[in-house]
Amino acid sequence: MTAPAPPDERNVLAGLSTLDRFLPVWIGLAMAAGLLLGRLVPGLDAALDAVKIGEISLPIALGLLLMMYPVLAKVRYDRLGTVTGDRRLLISSLVLNWVLGPALMFALAWILLPDLPEYRTGLIIVGLARCIAMVLIWNDLACGDREAAAVLVALNSIFQVVAFGALGWFYLQVLPGWLGLAQDALSVSAWDIASYVLIFLGVPLAAGYASRRLGERTRGREWYESRFLPRVGPLALYGLLFTIVILFALQGGTITSQPGDVARIALPLLAYFALMWGGSFLLGRAIGLPYDRTTTLAFTAAGNNFELAIAVAVGVFGVTSGQALAGVVGPLIEVPVLVALVYASLAARRLFTARATAEEPARA
């Protein structure tokens, strides 16, 4: 018997709500609104930046928590064991995120920005900050494996606390010294990294887990998934749009006043996202992962934790530094590129459908 084919891109897109279907339009408008607000409203960036605890912006934290909670509330936590037992997925993710990703960004930054040391350092910091937040949105929109995304994001968060400082020292001081290149310094404590992870991942993860446990226990799984989740689901995209507006309002003046520098920073970022996502997607298919886990592997490898990168760059080098500008340009490029890759991922589902169809006679 031939297994039923998964829905193709047109069927998936037709089933989306109006908000989801026109997501690129809403994101484009949010980016434009943030840039215009930052450019046209005097003192808005300073006012927004002042609302923070330590180096953590409270408006951005609010947007991220609002964005991540509904996605984590959808996770079937009783299925996580099927993910932790998938060694192909876990090993591939660790290698892509903590070996290839930082090395690729280091190489692209030095090749494409050899004359701009501040921007180069900022991009290397972006490459070290592996995604633990917004990737959940892209994975969900591309019909990736939610349980796998939760596990890989948690794994990245642990490695982020342990490895971020050491990798910063290696890529900014040790490796450049070995290669005879200019060296820089990065001083950031493990506690600072742990606080970002706790806020941006720990809080919404705990809330999502508690929602599912309490909702299923008191009202049942059918009510939870058919009544509760549809009500809270739109909050994820509202939080995403709010976060984008705040991010671009904070740096609207800087971005619009330095278009040439933004273009120079954008080039290695574009190459990075294309290579990481495309290579990870091909790797997932080559090692036999199904579409949903291949998609999760690709998005968790390509995304970066720009909130952490910006906070570290601002804390170490200052809010007006080139390193901070490189961190800010990160989401400017990442958001539209990864939205486009959501559609590319949905279109690529037919590759897995064709493989499943071809393998069915052999199994029979």
Side-chain angles (χ1 to χ4, degrees):
M1 181 186 301
T2 301
D8 61 22
E9 177 192 11
R10 289 171 295 180
N11 292 334
V12 171
L13 296 179
L16 296 177
S17 66
T18 300
L19 181 64
D20 290 341
R21 193 177 304 122
F22 294 99
L23 179 63
V25 176
W26 312 138
I27 286 178
L29 291 174
M31 292 169 65
L35 290 172
L36 287 174
L37 285 171
R39 183 73 175 179
L40 300 178
V41 179
L44 177 63
D45 54 347
L48 289 173
D49 189 54
V51 186
K52 61 184 181 181
I53 298 176
E55 293 299 330
I56 297 174
S57 167
L58 292 184
I60 292 178
L62 174 62
L64 288 170
L65 296 177
L66 190 65
M67 177 183 73
M68 293 178 65
Y69 164 69
V71 179
L72 290 168
K74 294 177 183 178
V75 171
R76 290 284 299 274
Y77 293 94
D78 56 342
R79 294 179 179 172
L80 295 185
T82 64
V83 179
T84 56
D86 191 341
R87 293 186 179 181
R88 294 173 302 171
L89 177 67
L90 297 181
I91 293 173
S92 297
S93 180
L94 287 175
V95 171
L96 287 167
N97 274 286
W98 298 102
V99 179
L100 294 183
L104 177 61
M105 188 69 90
F106 174 87
L108 290 171
W110 271 100
I111 291 170
L112 299 176
L113 300 176
D115 57 328
L116 298 171
E118 290 190 357
Y119 299 155
R120 186 177 64 233
T121 297
L123 284 180
I124 292 171
I125 294 173
V126 170
L128 299 177
R130 312 313 300 170
C131 197
I132 65 169
M134 201 171 284
V135 68
L136 295 172
I137 289 286
W138 313 133
N139 178 75
D140 213 44
L141 291 171
C143 301
D145 187 319
R146 289 181 185 134
E147 288 72 37
V151 170
L152 296 186
V153 162
L155 196 62
N156 274 346
S157 70
I158 294 170
F159 271 79
Q160 199 130 245
V161 174
V162 174
F164 186 91
L167 286 175
W169 169 72
F170 177 76
Y171 280 105
L172 293 176
Q173 292 187 281
V174 176
L175 186 56
W178 290 349
L179 300 176
L181 304 172
Q183 296 171 283
D184 212 330
L186 180 66
S187 176
V188 58
S189 72
W191 170 248
D192 289 336
I193 307 300
S195 65
Y196 298 131
V197 170
L198 178 63
I199 292 173
F200 295 136
L201 176 61
V203 172
L205 180 61
Y209 178 78
S211 293
R212 180 168 282 279
R213 288 297 300 272
L214 291 174
E216 291 187 355
R217 182 178 298 174
T218 58
R219 304 294 294 274
R221 177 166 293 178
E222 182 179 354
W223 172 88
Y224 183 82
E225 296 191 344
S226 65
R227 301 289 297 277
F228 178 76
L229 289 181
R231 291 178 182 175
V232 301
L235 293 177
L237 293 183
Y238 297 147
L240 171 64
L241 297 177
F242 175 78
T243 303
I244 290 171
V245 171
I246 296 298
L247 276 171
F248 289 99
L250 280 168
Q251 296 290 339
T254 303
I255 291 173
T256 55
S257 64
Q258 301 181 52
D261 289 352
V262 169
R264 288 290 304 274
I265 297 169
L267 186 58
L269 283 169
L270 286 170
Y272 173 84
F273 292 134
L275 290 171
M276 285 299 294
W277 187 89
S280 301
F281 201 90
L282 291 175
L283 173 63
R285 189 173 188 276
I287 63 177
L289 294 178
Y291 168 80
D292 55 353
R293 291 195 176 179
T294 294
T295 296
T296 300
L297 179 68
F299 279 101
T300 51
N304 290 91
N305 187 353
F306 56 82
E307 308 91 359
L308 173 60
I310 293 171
V312 169
V314 169
V316 176
F317 300 102
V319 69
T320 60
S321 66
Q323 291 88 342
L325 177 60
V328 170
V329 173
L332 175 68
I333 305 303
E334 181 180 47
V335 169
V337 168
L338 292 188
V339 169
L341 290 176
V342 166
Y343 289 89
S345 183
L346 292 172
R349 294 183 79 161
R350 62 177 61 96
L351 298 176
F352 294 83
T353 304
R355 182 175 66 182
T357 302
E359 291 176 350
E360 187 65 28
R363 289 195 296 269

